[in-house]
Amino acid sequence: MLVLGIESSCDECAAAIVGPGPKLLGQQVASQIPIHLPYGGVVPELASRDHVRKIIMVVEQALEQAGCSLEAIDGIGVTAGPGLIGSLLVGVTAAKALAWSLAKPLVGINHLEAHLHAIFLERPQFEYPHLGLIVSGGHTCLVRVDGIGKLHLISRTLDDAAGEAFDKVAKLLGLEYPGGVSIQRQGRSGNPAAISFPRPMPGKRLDFSFSGLKTSACVRVKKDGLPRGQALKDFAASFQEAIVDTLVKKTIMAARKERLTQILVAGGVAANIRLRDKMEAAAGQEEIEVAFPPISMCTDNAAMVAALSAAILKTGRDDGLALDACASMTI
Ligand code: KG4
Ligand code: ZN
């Protein structure tokens, strides 16, 4: 079965083709980083307009890379939510038009579940149940994953997502968007113990909260001025450490509570090297296995959407033309 996946929930316009396995045969991601760079964050209207310009091109490029024609596709999957409504509508509308013209089945995908499913492109035998930590620009949550479509929310952020905290503090520091990447780069040669930022909600609760940490960073900049040189590196390393420590601590706590021995970390922030290292070290002590999708599959892409779509299409589901985008889709 050949499946076309389409992703346009935020600022990446992407298409991918997967074959049985799931095996990735071709993929294209048109990033909008240069468009949003001057604003220090995603501008929804600019994002959806650019998706309209690029969507057909990325589908054609993914097909070309896979060496297959549009007519050879057996089914289509598209991110239907959560995300920016204008951005989502571009992908959903394109997918519906293709499904109708080709008379092929169509499924709408939850973006968060797709992030988790990215692991199966590298490790098709990865087992259920596992604990999923989804950590991205829009979401930070822990879920128990018992199978496809069997996700149970354990906890989530009560305010900002971890990626959002990275992006906002990077902007405050005058660093480039996306902030997580810039803070990681600056922090590489910084001292993570230089500043003791608060570890948000360190108690027994599994919910996350990052707005207090963000405020603490703002207050420090207001008081001491913008850090430069080595001070900037120390600031970035210390801020990153506070986010990483909180994510690691709550994830291990949840794994223990749910008696799960496998953790899967997914979403854009899962590309963070410090998070990968510290999560692996902490889990190792508990004899818990940790898996991360390849770094290139952590940030938004269509390969994860195509892989999840293939698994769902196999069950015979077809959402048809009634499919609609849902900006606030939950788990
Ligand atoms: O999953 P994603 O591409 O989009 C959403 O679904 O939100 O995640 C984007 C987020 C941004 O906040 C970005 O700053 C963060 O992931 N990010 C990182 C890294 N790479 C991307 N955060 C920390 N370290 C990284 N290496
Ligand atoms: Zn995402």
Side-chain angles (χ1 to χ4, degrees), residues 268-287:
V269 181
N272 187 274
I273 304 296
R274 190 74 179 159
L275 175 62
R276 287 177 171 241
D277 290 348
K278 290 198 96 173
M279 190 70 85
E280 260 162 16
Q285 288 184 357
E286 307 271 334
E287 295 191 16

Side-chain angles (χ1 to χ4, degrees), residues 7 9-12 111-112 115 135-139 162-167 177-182 184 240 266-273 298-301 304:
E7 159 63 41
S9 64
C10 189
D11 61 336
E12 257 93 28
H111 180 79
L112 304 176
H115 267 304
V135 67
S136 71
H139 300 269
E164 191 180 354
F166 271 124
D167 294 338
Y177 174 83
V181 179
S182 298
Q184 172 174 296
Q240 173 177 260
V269 181
N272 187 274
I273 304 296
C298 285
T299 46
D300 290 350
N301 64 83
M304 63 187 195

Side-chain angles (χ1 to χ4, degrees), residues 112-130:
L112 304 176
E113 188 174 10
H115 267 304
L116 291 168
H117 204 81
I119 191 70
F120 291 97
L121 282 158
E122 193 181 62
R123 294 179 55 181
Q125 307 306 330
F126 191 71
E127 284 179 3
Y128 300 107
H130 49 256

Side-chain angles (χ1 to χ4, degrees), residues 50-263:
D50 199 58
H51 286 317
V52 173
R53 267 181 239 121
K54 306 263 175 71
I55 192 97
I56 300 298
M57 184 188 77
V58 296
V59 170
E60 285 173 350
Q61 287 171 343
L63 285 165
E64 197 184 318
Q65 215 186 78
C68 74
S69 67
L70 195 53
E71 290 69 30
I73 295 297
D74 298 300
I76 299 172
V78 61
T79 298
L84 302 170
I85 191 64
S87 289
L88 287 166
L89 279 170
V90 178
V92 168
T93 309
K96 280 164 84 168
L98 286 169
W100 177 76
S101 66
L102 297 166
K104 294 289 153 83
L106 168 71
V107 287
I109 296 297
N110 182 316
H111 180 79
L112 304 176
E113 188 174 10
H115 267 304
L116 291 168
H117 204 81
I119 191 70
F120 291 97
L121 282 158
E122 193 181 62
R123 294 179 55 181
Q125 307 306 330
F126 191 71
E127 284 179 3
Y128 300 107
H130 49 256
L131 176 72
L133 168 66
I134 304 167
V135 67
S136 71
H139 300 269
T140 298
C141 58
L142 283 164
V143 286
R144 183 189 166 93
V145 190
D146 287 315
I148 291 166
K150 294 179 187 156
L151 275 62
H152 309 279
L153 187 69
I154 295 171
S155 69
R156 60 186 175 80
T157 180
L158 301 175
D159 40 60
D160 290 358
E164 191 180 354
F166 271 124
D167 294 338
K168 286 181 176 164
V169 169
K171 189 174 178 182
L172 170 80
L173 295 173
L175 299 173
E176 271 186 1
Y177 174 83
V181 179
S182 298
I183 289 186
Q184 172 174 296
R185 194 180 306 128
Q186 288 293 331
R188 216 175 283 149
S189 43
N191 173 9
I195 305 166
S196 74
F197 282 114
R199 270 49 178 165
M201 307 178 67
K204 290 238 172 334
R205 291 185 60 169
L206 290 174
D207 289 325
F208 300 94
S209 165
F210 292 106
S211 73
L213 171 62
K214 186 186 65 188
T215 306
S216 162
C218 289
V219 168
R220 187 164 276 272
V221 168
K222 262 198 196 133
K223 199 168 105 240
D224 301 341
L226 269 179
R228 296 264 176 252
Q230 188 58 40
L232 174 59
K233 292 176 174 155
D234 290 345
F235 194 110
S238 303
F239 182 77
Q240 173 177 260
E241 201 74 355
I243 292 192
V244 166
D245 281 351
T246 307
L247 292 173
V248 170
K249 187 169 177 191
K250 305 250 164 181
T251 305
I252 300 290
M253 265 168 68
R256 261 196 235 133
K257 200 167 163 212
E258 293 284 319
R259 298 181 192 283
L260 291 170
T261 54
Q262 289 192 114
I263 292 172

Side-chain angles (χ1 to χ4, degrees), residues 284-330:
Q285 288 184 357
E286 307 271 334
E287 295 191 16
I288 293 172
E289 189 210 347
V290 188
F292 296 88
I295 288 186
S296 61
M297 298 273 172
C298 285
T299 46
D300 290 350
N301 64 83
M304 63 187 195
V305 176
L308 178 58
S309 303
I312 294 176
L313 285 162
K314 232 188 263 173
T315 67
R317 196 178 108 189
D318 180 2
D319 296 341
L321 298 185
L323 177 67
D324 209 353
C326 174
S328 59
M329 190 183 283
T330 51

